[in-house]
Amino acid sequence: RRQNNSPTAALSKESTATSKDEGRSSSTRKEIQRKELDQKIAAKNKSVSTDFHLAPLPLIIVVMLCSGALWVLAFRDVFATGRSIAGPMDDAMLFFTKMTDFFDDSKGWKSKQGGLSAIESVTTDKNNMGGFFVRKLCGAAAMAVHSQKLIPLIFQPNEAHWAYGHFVPMLLSSVMGNLAITGFYACYADELKGAGADELSLITCALLTIEALIMLGYALISWRSAPKNVPATVPVTVKNPSSIISRILTRTVSIISGVIATIAIRDLFFPGQVLSPIPRDDIYLEWTNSFIHSPPSGSVEEEENGLEAPLYIGDKFISQLMALYMVIFCFQKFVTAYLIRVGKDGSGGIKCRIFWRSQVFGNAIITFIFRLFAPAASSASLDLRWHLMCLAYETFIIGSYAFL
């Protein structure tokens, strides 16, 4: 019996082992298939989350090319005033705005070459520190305006999602700023053409217009495709959906940027006109050469400088351009203070922080320029300490809400 049953037992053991191997192989195949399926789902979710969060790549590329090029020119105006970096067309623009008067490389590497070391502590008729201040402040304000477009898209905050329309206010305000700058260049088209500086201005207008059209298109797409019922990011009971984001920041921006915008609007539309409520405004206008290129009608300055004023059209151009950049920068602060509200989903704070993180940088560079020229202005009986304290306080408040 043992001899007869032994082959049967061996066959049964072999079949049992084969079934176990088949079971193991089938479970292994199922595990592999399950892992492959999980990887596919994870990859799909990752792609969906990337499209949901990140701004479109074509928009980022366009902004980097257009605003990036103008940001570089503004950076040059701040840290190397008068240096040509774009060939003959740049030379013509620098000559028209008289920035070459502040650039000197006759001593080689020892030369100041229009940098920050060229700022002197005493104002004289020869060094023209007031005109130097206008040109460097124009570059700083331009850096602030263009950084408002570059920083949020390149260094996108984790809390800001493209699919929820968080970038729409920034894009629309930037479109308005681009169109305003383009219109300003168009107003000076004849003067720029007569000075041979129209080529760079046309390129600037083309870059700003193309960028504005692209940003407007993506803003409309983002606004239309944004979901209507978005989950609240903060408890809805904290604030009313129609409430402003911060009363403290609104008051600060209203007072400080409101005064800055008032002076800038005067410099843009009514250059040379004295605002009597502002202390020492006449000294500011004299220091920045406004009485030379735009003497008030019926004044002593008109009798002295009226015939020579057309020769200073380049000074008037750069002064009004500086004022325009300051107005645009202040306008973007007013957008966060008054136009953006909490919203039903509580996303107002996210939209404002997109602005605030860039405005901290812009305010800081403008404050830095004011600090560098404070001794020179003081020698001309113009005290900039109040300006510095106000700008520094506003920068601190905006930074507190942007990063804390």
Side-chain angles (χ1 to χ4, degrees), residues 230-279:
V230 181
T233 56
V234 296
V236 294
T237 57
V238 174
K239 285 187 177 182
N240 190 283
S242 60
S243 301
I244 59 177
I245 304 302
S246 170
R247 295 184 181 275
I248 296 176
L249 191 140
T250 299
R251 286 194 294 266
T252 303
V253 169
S254 300
I255 295 172
I256 299 176
S257 291
V259 174
I260 295 174
T262 301
I263 298 174
I265 290 173
R266 185 275 312 276
D267 292 340
L268 178 60
F269 295 104
F270 310 101
Q273 301 297 321
V274 180
L275 297 177
S276 55
I278 300 178

Side-chain angles (χ1 to χ4, degrees), residues 123-394:
T123 297
T124 62
D125 293 336
K126 183 178 179 180
N127 60 28
N128 189 17
M129 282 296 103
F132 201 24
F133 168 77
V134 169
R135 286 154 180 82
K136 284 199 177 293
L137 186 59
C138 180
M143 287 178 63
V145 170
H146 296 308
S147 296
Q148 186 67 82
K149 297 172 280 185
L150 290 167
I151 292 178
L153 293 176
I154 298 177
F155 307 101
Q156 182 171 336
N158 293 329
E159 61 182 358
H161 303 296
W162 173 263
Y164 284 170
H166 292 163
F167 290 87
V168 172
M170 184 273 292
L171 293 176
L172 293 180
S173 63
S174 299
V175 168
M176 297 177 65
N178 281 16
L179 296 179
I181 299 171
T182 303
F184 175 78
Y185 275 96
C187 293
Y188 273 93
D190 295 335
E191 289 81 359
L192 291 167
K193 186 176 181 180
D198 57 331
E199 185 176 357
L200 184 59
S201 65
L202 289 176
I203 293 175
T204 301
C205 292
L207 292 175
L208 291 172
T209 304
I210 293 172
E211 184 185 51
L213 293 176
I214 298 297
M215 288 192 300
L216 179 61
Y218 274 104
L220 295 177
I221 293 173
S222 178
W223 175 69
R224 290 176 62 88
S225 61
K228 302 303 180 183
N229 298 322
V230 181
T233 56
V234 296
V236 294
T237 57
V238 174
K239 285 187 177 182
N240 190 283
S242 60
S243 301
I244 59 177
I245 304 302
S246 170
R247 295 184 181 275
I248 296 176
L249 191 140
T250 299
R251 286 194 294 266
T252 303
V253 169
S254 300
I255 295 172
I256 299 176
S257 291
V259 174
I260 295 174
T262 301
I263 298 174
I265 290 173
R266 185 275 312 276
D267 292 340
L268 178 60
F269 295 104
F270 310 101
Q273 301 297 321
V274 180
L275 297 177
S276 55
I278 300 178
R280 295 188 177 274
D281 189 47
D282 55 340
I283 297 177
Y284 164 78
L285 293 174
E286 183 178 3
W287 187 56
T288 56
N289 301 323
S290 294
F291 285 156
I292 297 178
H293 60 71
S294 302
S297 59
S299 63
V300 178
E301 289 78 9
E302 186 182 23
E303 296 179 359
E304 296 177 352
N305 306 315
L307 295 177
E308 298 178 356
L311 301 176
Y312 293 89
I313 188 63
D315 295 78
K316 184 178 180 180
F317 169 82
I318 198 67
S319 176
Q320 289 184 305
L321 182 61
M322 179 270 291
L324 177 59
Y325 275 119
M326 293 296 291
V327 169
I328 295 173
F329 190 49
C330 292
F331 166 73
Q332 291 174 332
K333 296 178 190 176
F334 295 146
V335 169
T336 63
Y338 293 102
L339 299 184
I340 298 178
R341 300 305 174 101
V342 173
K344 295 181 179 180
D345 58 347
S347 63
I350 299 175
K351 297 175 182 178
C352 286
R353 280 189 287 273
I354 293 176
F355 284 90
W356 291 338
R357 288 168 180 169
S358 305
Q359 290 169 359
V360 169
F361 168 78
N363 260 27
I365 190 66
I366 291 173
T367 306
F368 179 62
I369 296 300
F370 269 86
R371 176 62 186 89
L372 292 178
F373 280 94
S378 179
S379 67
S381 302
L382 180 63
D383 193 356
L384 294 181
R385 288 179 296 178
W386 289 102
H387 306 70
L388 285 170
M389 286 188 288
C390 291
L391 284 170
Y393 177 72
E394 186 186 48

